Amino acid sequence: MKEYKAWVQNGFLGLLLIAIFVGLGIVLLINTYVMLGIIALVISVILLSGMTIVQPNQALVVTFFGRYVGTIRNNGISLTLPFSMRKQVSLRVRNFNSIKLKVNDIEGNPIEIAAVVVFRVIDSAKAMYDVDKYEQFVEIQSETALRHVASKYPYDLFHDTGFSLRGNSEEISRELGLELQERLSLAGVEVMEARLTHLAYSTEIASAMLQRQQASAIISARTMIVEGAVGMVQMAIAQIEKDGTIHLDEERKAAMINNLLVAIVSDRSASPIINTSSLY
């Protein structure tokens, strides 16, 4: 199915024709032209059956004796095919909030995930006749696409490089929107936006994963501190040797490096000790 414009005329012109035929029929009946009067009234009834009203951002899908004959998108009152069936389809932007789904990510960890999908109907014929109840079709396909995308990536990356559900939400939302558009194009629906609204580990592993995240954060912080400390010590020794004011042998360098690293890397503030005697 593909949407196309139905036969439609100005509704006020239709009202004028109805009024003319009703008046003509009454005049003919009064003047004893009974048959002509009845014909005029019947024509007015036929025209009246073709009158319809379309609200803003709504469409009417018109069928005539079971055959699709087009869609009316013009707002206001219109005259279309008499005795035709007309079904209303909303063209307004709508939201669908999925429930919290429990899915296994690519590493097998159970996670909870949910998303919001912003969509609208752009082809009323497909929405009405290519799928059965397109609103339910959008809901089911949205949850299916969300499960599929969530199972392709890990919840978080600890060592490897790549995409993760938590660290690359924009990229994941973009991929979810593209997959949804591919699935929902059959129903004449345009996906305007798809975005994750909830992402968390399942309760049975949340505590263990929190400890893992904390340990990974501590290791990363310690690595950065050690790298910075080594760089500072190298700079300090290089500056002392460049000035030439103090000559450091290997043992004094080792002692200085040890003291600086302990002072910089330690969790607590260093307590200075004044040495009044020689190092040897």
Side-chain angles (χ1 to χ4, degrees):
M1 299 294 295
K2 187 176 182 181
E3 179 183 314
Y4 57 87
K5 187 176 181 180
W7 180 85
V8 65
Q9 297 295 326
N10 188 288
F12 295 102
L13 175 61
L15 290 176
L16 179 61
L17 291 175
I18 291 172
I20 291 174
F21 279 104
V22 169
L24 180 62
I26 293 174
V27 171
L28 290 174
L29 289 175
I30 292 175
N31 290 280
T32 67
Y33 295 99
V34 178
M35 185 59 64
L36 293 177
I38 292 174
I39 292 173
L41 292 177
V42 168
I43 293 174
S44 66
V45 172
I46 293 174
L47 291 174
L48 184 61
S49 68
M51 298 299 298
T52 186
I53 296 176
V54 182
Q55 301 295 330
N57 268 334
Q58 301 282 339
L60 290 181
V61 180
V62 183
T63 55
F64 188 68
F65 290 101
R67 180 174 176 268
Y68 171 67
V69 293
T71 299
I72 303 175
R73 286 178 175 252
N74 300 331
N75 299 333
I77 187 169
S78 302
L79 174 64
T80 186
L81 290 176
F83 304 115
S84 59
M85 298 293 294
R86 298 175 283 274
K87 295 182 180 180
Q88 182 173 286
V89 179
S90 175
L91 304 179
R92 297 167 183 168
V93 177
R94 281 175 284 179
N95 292 326
F96 165 66
N97 289 304
S98 71
I99 60 174
K100 293 180 182 179
L101 304 175
K102 180 177 282 189
V103 189
N104 289 337
D105 67 2
I106 196 171
E107 296 178 348
N109 299 318
I111 62 174
E112 293 179 351
I113 191 170
V116 58
V117 180
V118 183
F119 70 96
R120 65 178 178 179
V121 174
I122 58 174
D123 193 312
S124 58
K126 288 185 177 181
M128 291 300 298
Y129 301 119
D130 280 354
V131 296
D132 187 18
K133 297 181 180 180
Y134 71 92
E135 295 95 342
Q136 295 182 5
F137 185 79
V138 170
E139 294 178 7
I140 295 173
Q141 292 300 319
S142 297
E143 294 180 356
T144 303
L146 182 58
R147 288 181 181 274
H148 181 250
V149 172
S151 63
K152 292 170 59 178
Y153 299 99
Y155 177 91
D156 205 350
L157 291 173
F158 295 97
H159 303 291
D160 300 331
T161 59
F163 284 175
S164 66
L165 297 174
R166 189 180 69 88
N168 302 91
S169 58
E170 291 294 332
E171 291 80 0
I172 299 301
S173 298
R174 190 179 302 114
E175 181 175 349
L176 177 61
L178 292 175
E179 181 161 344
L180 273 174
Q181 185 60 69
E182 183 179 355
R183 291 171 178 265
L184 297 180
S185 58
L186 176 64
V189 171
E190 177 189 12
V191 178
M192 305 181 67
E193 184 182 13
R195 190 167 297 275
L196 300 182
T197 57
H198 176 77
L199 181 64
Y201 283 113
S202 295
T203 54
E204 58 266 27
I205 66 166
S207 178
M209 287 302 175
L210 178 60
Q211 293 177 1
R212 181 179 178 182
Q213 289 178 349
Q214 291 174 344
S216 178
I218 291 173
I219 293 172
S220 299
R222 285 294 181 185
T223 302
M224 187 179 298
I225 291 173
V226 170
E227 291 177 354
V230 171
M232 292 172 65
V233 170
Q234 290 175 345
M235 291 174 57
I237 293 176
Q239 186 66 35
I240 290 174
E241 291 180 345
K242 181 180 178 181
D243 293 343
T245 55
I246 302 175
H247 176 70
L248 298 175
D249 57 16
E250 295 302 322
E251 189 173 353
R252 285 190 172 89
K253 284 184 182 180
M256 182 178 179
I257 292 172
N258 178 70
N259 293 335
L260 287 175
L261 287 176
V262 170
I264 296 173
V265 177
S266 177
D267 287 335
R268 299 179 181 179
S269 301
S271 300
I273 298 175
I274 299 176
N275 186 12
T276 59
S277 62
S278 172
L279 181 63
Y280 301 103

